[in-house]
Amino acid sequence: MELAEPAPQSILDQDLYKFCMQQAVLEHYPDVVVEYGFINRDPSMRFNQAAFTQLQKDIAHMEHTTATNKDIEYLKHTCPYLSAEYLQFLASYRFNPTVDIACSLDAMGALELKIMGKWTQVILYEIPLLSMISSAYFSHVDTDWNYTGQLEKITAKGLQLVDASCEFAEFGTRRRRDFKTQNMVVCALSQLHCGPGQCTGTSNVYLARKYNMKPVGTVGHEWTMAIAALEGTYENGNSLALRKWHATFKGSLGIALTDTFGTTAFFANFDRQLASLYAGVRHDSGDPFQFIERVHAHYTKIGISPATKTIVFSDGLDPEKAIRVRKYCAKYAVNCSFGIGTNFTNDFLCASDPTKQSKAANIVIKLLKCGDRYCVKLSDVTSKHTGDACEVERAQTSLTRLGLLD
């Protein structure tokens, strides 16, 4: 296997939406203490000591990663929705991993990781940590892969999407095999020819700056999960989160995430007033074709033309699936765009047998607690539910009783 390219020691090697959420947290919940936990959805993914040692070293180095004057100036001019007050906060922000992160490896090679601290302080850890975990694993455990054909593969995928009139962005930071892979992917996408479709940008702010692309993003599940827990309501968690987000960004970053507590609960909260404030919605779990039908029906029901709104799809996409979804959106006269992650930045073949797929990591870091309250996510796919089992059951019972959970 070729030597991996080390990730840059830059605070901008981060997904845009994390900076946006940090600003919203700073405004609305500056003193809340939270806890995040690492979840490995693939029990067969085990670490060895070499991988764990690299991860520990990478985590320790975060202490030296800070925003430079150049970084702040870039964000100021490129992301006008980030306030002067927030950029001042970010300029003085420091990671403190020895205090904020607890990481261990058990005798069976299972990685355990918790992040604890003020929400404003620890919100930026998730994406870099997931990237580090993947890089360490594929550098020291699963090494039966190489970069052969990666440039040609991503170029072909990009052209396929462009020629099929798809608008799409690269969303691969959290699931990348390593930095070298994502760097190669974004570089290739930045050079695609103009056509019926286009690559609209990348979620990675560092690479957006490097390749003169637009940094793009929406909002994460943790925003709604936390607000529902802090305000004590699953029934109205979506609407409270949407209103607070709009209060901060005044219509910028106007794509609403729909599946934190299931789509039915979301649409019950997404009334005409809120739907008018947001440019569209994001699909992140469940059947995308049924979702298109539901979105079209909901906008029509509340007196808004679906043709004036956009659906952003970001759930397990590859070019073929995105093209099928785009055609179905056209049938319902709904605008669409796509955020593609794993298929762009972690699509490899085994070096020893190129007829076999090299399995990508399936890892997440989720918000577990806000203060003394548990946070849960009730995805449209049951296997993606996260949170304390008793609290998940309580949330399901509460929403089912109200007719808000399918």
Side-chain angles (χ1 to χ4, degrees):
M1 189 186 74
E2 298 173 52
L3 186 65
E5 180 180 348
Q9 290 293 310
S10 170
I11 201 167
L12 297 189
D13 185 24
Q14 173 75 266
D15 279 345
L16 174 68
Y17 82 100
K18 278 294 184 174
F19 294 123
C20 302
M21 285 202 296
Q22 188 179 42
Q23 175 173 315
V25 171
L26 188 65
E27 178 178 340
H28 296 283
Y29 299 102
D31 298 315
V32 167
V33 174
V34 301
E35 178 181 329
Y36 296 83
F38 170 72
I39 300 170
N40 185 357
R41 292 172 174 163
D42 180 4
S44 69
M45 180 182 174
R46 300 285 173 166
F47 274 64
N48 57 27
Q49 189 58 49
F52 184 63
T53 298
Q54 178 182 319
L55 178 60
Q56 288 181 304
K57 181 180 178 181
D58 290 343
I59 290 173
H61 283 169
M62 295 184 79
E63 181 181 0
H64 307 292
T65 303
T66 61
T68 65
N69 291 337
K70 181 181 176 182
D71 295 337
I72 298 300
E73 282 300 307
Y74 172 78
L75 292 173
K76 178 181 177 181
H77 293 292
T78 308
C79 308
Y81 40 81
L82 296 178
S83 68
E85 292 78 11
Y86 170 67
L87 292 178
Q88 183 177 6
F89 169 86
L90 185 62
S92 61
Y93 175 84
R94 298 293 183 272
F95 288 106
N96 192 3
T98 56
V99 173
D100 301 333
I101 298 174
C103 187
S104 62
L105 189 70
D106 71 15
M108 301 299 293
L111 180 67
E112 298 179 6
L113 187 148
K114 291 284 180 68
I115 309 165
M116 294 159 283
K118 272 193 176 183
W119 199 6
T120 52
Q121 167 63 25
V122 299
I123 194 170
L124 295 187
Y125 280 111
E126 175 189 357
I127 306 302
L129 284 176
L130 288 172
S131 301
M132 291 172 188
I133 291 167
S134 181
S135 181
Y137 178 80
F138 286 107
S139 293
H140 298 284
V141 182
D142 181 355
T143 59
D144 185 18
W145 60 277
N146 56 46
Y147 300 101
T148 301
Q150 280 295 302
L151 181 60
E152 294 80 5
K153 183 182 291 187
I154 186 58
T155 301
K157 289 176 181 179
L159 291 174
Q160 185 180 1
L161 289 162
V162 168
D163 292 342
S165 302
C166 292
E167 293 197 353
F168 63 97
E170 186 277 325
F171 273 17
T173 308
R174 66 170 60 232
R175 297 289 173 82
R176 71 192 185 194
R177 185 147 296 203
D178 58 11
F179 175 76
K180 180 175 181 176
T181 302
Q182 190 180 22
N183 184 52
M184 188 187 310
V185 165
V186 177
C187 178
L189 294 177
S190 72
Q191 297 174 25
L192 289 177
H193 69 258
C194 295
Q198 64 174 325
C199 180
T200 58
T202 172
S203 61
N204 187 291
V205 183
Y206 175 87
L207 292 174
R209 180 174 67 180
K210 181 176 181 179
Y211 293 109
N212 195 29
M213 298 179 76
K214 182 180 180 181
V216 296
T218 55
V219 64
H221 294 98
E222 71 175 280
W223 178 247
T224 306
M225 291 166 64
I227 289 174
L230 292 167
E231 305 297 341
T233 173
Y234 293 113
E235 178 183 2
N236 298 310
N238 283 293
S239 61
L240 287 172
L242 290 168
R243 294 184 191 283
K244 288 177 182 291
W245 188 259
H246 187 269
T248 297
F249 294 109
K250 309 295 189 299
S252 295
L253 308 169
I255 298 295
L257 183 56
T258 58
D259 69 332
T260 308
F261 305 122
T263 303
T264 299
F266 172 82
F267 283 128
N269 278 193
F270 201 52
D271 57 21
R272 180 180 172 83
Q273 181 189 36
L274 273 175
S276 298
L277 295 175
Y278 279 79
V281 296
R282 178 156 74 97
H283 170 269
D284 200 49
S285 64
D287 186 310
F289 304 100
Q290 292 179 6
F291 184 78
I292 293 165
E293 296 170 4
R294 294 187 72 173
V295 169
H296 183 275
H298 183 74
Y299 278 128
T300 301
K301 179 182 176 180
I302 61 177
I304 293 176
S305 170
T308 65
K309 300 297 180 179
T310 297
I311 304 176
V312 177
F313 294 89
S314 59
D315 179 37
L317 295 169
D318 57 29
E320 290 78 15
K321 184 176 180 180
I323 291 167
R324 293 197 304 272
V325 169
R326 192 205 68 79
K327 290 178 180 178
Y328 206 69
C329 283
K331 177 181 175 181
Y332 282 85
V334 180
N335 302 304
C336 64
S337 67
F338 304 91
I340 303 180
T342 304
N343 183 261
F344 276 179
T345 62
N346 212 329
D347 181 15
F348 286 80
L349 300 175
C350 294
S352 63
D353 184 354
T355 66
K356 294 182 179 179
Q357 190 75 18
S358 173
K359 187 164 59 172
N362 190 358
I363 55 178
V364 294
I365 291 174
K366 289 295 182 183
L367 189 65
L368 302 179
K369 295 181 75 175
C370 284
D372 59 354
R373 300 188 179 188
Y374 288 108
C375 300
V376 303
K377 175 191 171 190
L378 304 179
S379 170
D380 285 326
V381 174
T382 306
S383 62
K384 290 186 175 182
H385 289 359
T386 60
D388 174 76
C390 291
E391 187 62 21
V392 167
E393 183 177 357
R394 191 179 81 82
Q396 289 175 311
T397 300
S398 173
L399 291 173
T400 299
R401 186 173 61 247
L402 294 166
L404 299 177
L405 194 65
D406 293 333

